[in-house]
Amino acid sequence: MARRQETARGSMPLKELLISKESTAMASFGVRDLDTMMRFAPRRYVVPAPLRSLHEVNRGEEVSAVVSVVSLRDRAMRSRHGFILEVAVSDGVEEIVLTFFLTKQHQLQWHRGRLPVGARIIVHGTVGFDDYRQALQITHPAYEPVEDTEEGRAWAQRPRPVYPLRQNIAQATMRSATEKGLEFAGSLSRPVPDEVIARRALPPLEEAARLVHTPLTVEDTRHGMAHLRYEEAFILQAIFAQRRGQDERTPAPVLAAEGPLQGLFDARLPFTLTDGQCAIGTRIEERIGNSHPTSVLLQGDVGSGKTVVALRAMLRAVDSGHQAALLAPTEVLAEQHHRTLLTLLGDLARAGQLDGHEAATRVRLLTGSQRTAGRRETLLDVTSGQAGIVVGTHALLTESVEFASLGLVVIDEQHRFGVDHRRRLRTKGPAGQSPHVIVMTATPIPRTAALATVGDLDVLSLRESPGLRAGVTSFVVHEKLPKWEQRMWQRAAEEITAGRQVFVVCARIDEDDAADDAPAPPELDENGNEKPPTLEPARGVTQTAQRLAERPELAGARIGILHGRLTGEEKQEVMAQMVRGEIDLLVSTTVIEVGVDVPNASTMIVLDAERFGVSQLHQLRGRVGRGEHAGIAFFDTTAEVGAEHSQHLRRIAEAVDGFALAELDLRRRGAGDLVGEEQSGLQRTLKHLDVMRDARVIEQAREDAFAVVAADPDLAAHPALAGAIADRLRDADPDVERS
């Protein structure tokens, strides 16, 4: 009963505790109850300058000094309405004048009332110079009464919290509100059990709130924030622990059969699986062999062999009497996956045909542009179960697609699919069962990197390449340095002369179509304000192809174009010409980002690279260096050398691992909603935690939260934790996928 009363008091509306302007100020940030306000941490702290004697100070220095008021005089301003108040103060050795420029009479009276002659105050401010009096002064200093004792001076030198502000809200209002809330801090709800707090040597919540909002030292702020960070991690991990428990109670098809398809496929592979592929394949088999659904992220750069690993898992699903679906973000990629699977499987994919193997299955393709007859035939095979493997785009998600027994879903390039897309596939399992999910990516989105860090996503990484990929080296080219740009095109020409091919990617199709423009991300100054644009408009495919045809370095090069306005047949023909070697240089939009395999292509040039995301740039450079020839990627930019866009591109060029890039993107864009559906966004879910900095805290919270939930799955003995979880999930879907 006592604990319920605590929780109720902690959720007390602020209107019952604060005056109107204070509760209104907090409400502008969505803070409407005591629990939330005590966890509404300052964005930073202002630490006063060290105490100094006035005879030691110089112009331009920050100073704190304990002084007594010697005299006051005020006068009307000559050039504008208002008053000048001059307060002479002394520290017993030296005098200095505090100067205030005031517009209202009541402001003048307010300062006079706080600064009577003889008052003992501490002053904080920047020392300036009065040209008229030829003397030092401090203009508009901060000040407050001080007891001339050791404790009084320590209190006066405490760090001042600085809260975020909205228009017409004063910092003093925010500080006053939180200080009043501290009077009731003992009634805050405590989601983390007391024994856990004690074991982790954290200050109790009431003490932590005081250390955060009214610290005496900088170290106090660290101790207070340590509790809030741990609490946030603990609640998040408790959510994940409950979801894991729910997974274990949710039925899923058991994909445990040993053959025959997977064994026949392994025997026919024209290459030997790497140790990494074998090890990860075994771990996937263990997971999909369970009777509850698994969610696995299979991470590996282009060419690392993810598709073969996923295909072996799909064959295991078919061997177990179920179906597998491979979901791709574009028709180009879906068609390539379909061709790849047919090639790899050979007669194992030709069930019902004269040259099909007796154990064969059917591999069907389903896309939005498929003709009616072909679509009808595919749907019939999917519904009847004749198609053991189905490859498709978003068309697989429609209600008209009914699987006979979907046991496994493989999702390629997960950054192209929203959470809702993946959840819809989850509902297509047989008889209330949820299919297993494997997500493949070379560049995890920031949200996925964060989830992998906090531990709610099983990550399997392929670190080695099974083929003869020569790899890619990336460079940033600044057009503000003309010789760099010239050398880039010379290098492209050298590759063409050597018999290889070049991709050039643009951010838009046509420069004359303003609606098609891809805006550059804004640059921010040190205060977070957007700077004026410093980049030139993005170039288009059409005009770029014309300009390149006129460059002397590329004389004689066969140039093609590819973009989204071409028909499906036109796109296929262009890519076929590229594969046959009939095009030397292809100017394209990002339609080649995924699904294009031209082993002879060795050079990727991305124009206006600052307009592309981290994942896009990594995918684009993965289009080259896929064969025996080393690849070169040029990130071309109109940004100034050393500008933020330039530095960001350099960091991408230097990072080669998908998770390293995701962490780079995570720091730049934020983690997104870790329990909801948003895939990115500036720390929407995390208020205090930094998933990189606080990895150790997250690990400890995971250990503690999983133990608490394991002992009490329904949290009957932990109502405050159950309430905190409900609050966190209030605006999120509790059934949201993890990746």
Side-chain angles (χ1 to χ4, degrees), residues 126-144:
T126 303
V127 178
F129 191 77
D130 186 336
D131 294 325
Y132 178 75
R133 293 187 299 106
Q134 290 295 296
L136 297 176
Q137 68 174 357
I138 304 177
T139 303
H140 285 287
Y143 66 89
E144 64 180 332

Side-chain angles (χ1 to χ4, degrees), residues 473 475 477 483-498 500-502 551 553-554 585 602-605 629-634:
T473 305
F475 302 93
V477 175
K483 289 185 178 179
W484 289 33
E485 182 191 17
Q486 183 181 18
R487 179 56 187 149
M488 176 179 74
W489 294 116
Q490 288 174 346
R491 191 71 185 83
E494 291 168 4
E495 291 295 303
I496 292 173
T497 301
R500 294 183 278 277
Q501 294 164 287
V502 176
R551 289 196 72 98
E553 302 96 332
L554 299 172
L585 185 151
S602 62
T603 305
M604 170 63 66
I605 297 174
H629 305 295
I632 311 170
F634 294 108

Side-chain angles (χ1 to χ4, degrees), residues 190-267:
R190 299 191 294 277
V192 185
D194 294 340
E195 59 272 17
V196 175
I197 292 294
R199 184 168 64 251
R200 295 299 180 186
L202 295 167
L205 180 57
E206 181 178 3
E207 175 67 6
R210 185 192 67 76
L211 296 175
V212 167
H213 296 292
T214 58
L216 289 178
T217 65
V218 172
E219 192 61 28
D220 282 352
T221 68
R222 298 191 185 104
H223 286 312
M225 287 305 302
H227 183 112
L228 297 188
R229 291 190 182 109
Y230 185 88
E231 179 186 273
E232 183 170 40
F234 185 87
I235 295 169
L236 199 60
Q237 291 296 339
I239 292 172
F240 296 156
Q242 287 191 322
R243 288 182 176 177
R244 289 294 174 96
Q246 182 179 0
D247 279 353
E248 292 176 0
R249 295 188 297 272
T250 300
V254 176
L255 310 181
E258 293 294 336
L261 279 174
Q262 185 176 331
L264 291 169
F265 173 71
D266 288 349

Side-chain angles (χ1 to χ4, degrees), residues 277-299:
Q277 287 175 310
C278 292
I280 287 177
T282 300
R283 293 171 67 181
I284 289 177
E285 289 173 3
E286 291 172 353
R287 285 165 170 77
I288 65 177
N290 291 323
S291 60
H292 53 80
T294 186
S295 291
V296 171
L297 174 68
L298 178 57
Q299 189 266 339

Side-chain angles (χ1 to χ4, degrees), residues 514-533:
D516 189 43
D517 201 359
E523 286 190 273
L524 305 179
D525 60 24
E526 59 183 7
N527 297 317
N529 299 315
E530 188 172 331
K531 293 180 180 178

Side-chain angles (χ1 to χ4, degrees), residues 45 72 224 367 394 406 541 554 597 669 738:
Y45 295 87
L72 297 87
T367 64
H394 295 77
L406 182 61
V541 169
L554 299 172
D597 188 5
R669 293 165 53 199
R738 292 190 177 85

Side-chain angles (χ1 to χ4, degrees), residues 43 87 127 157 184 319 365 427 463 520 546 619 648 665 677:
R43 63 191 308 175
V87 183
V127 178
Q157 286 297 99
F184 304 96
D319 283 338
L365 174 68
T427 66
R463 302 290 182 182
Q546 294 170 354
Q619 287 288 348
H648 182 56
D665 209 12
E677 300 197 10

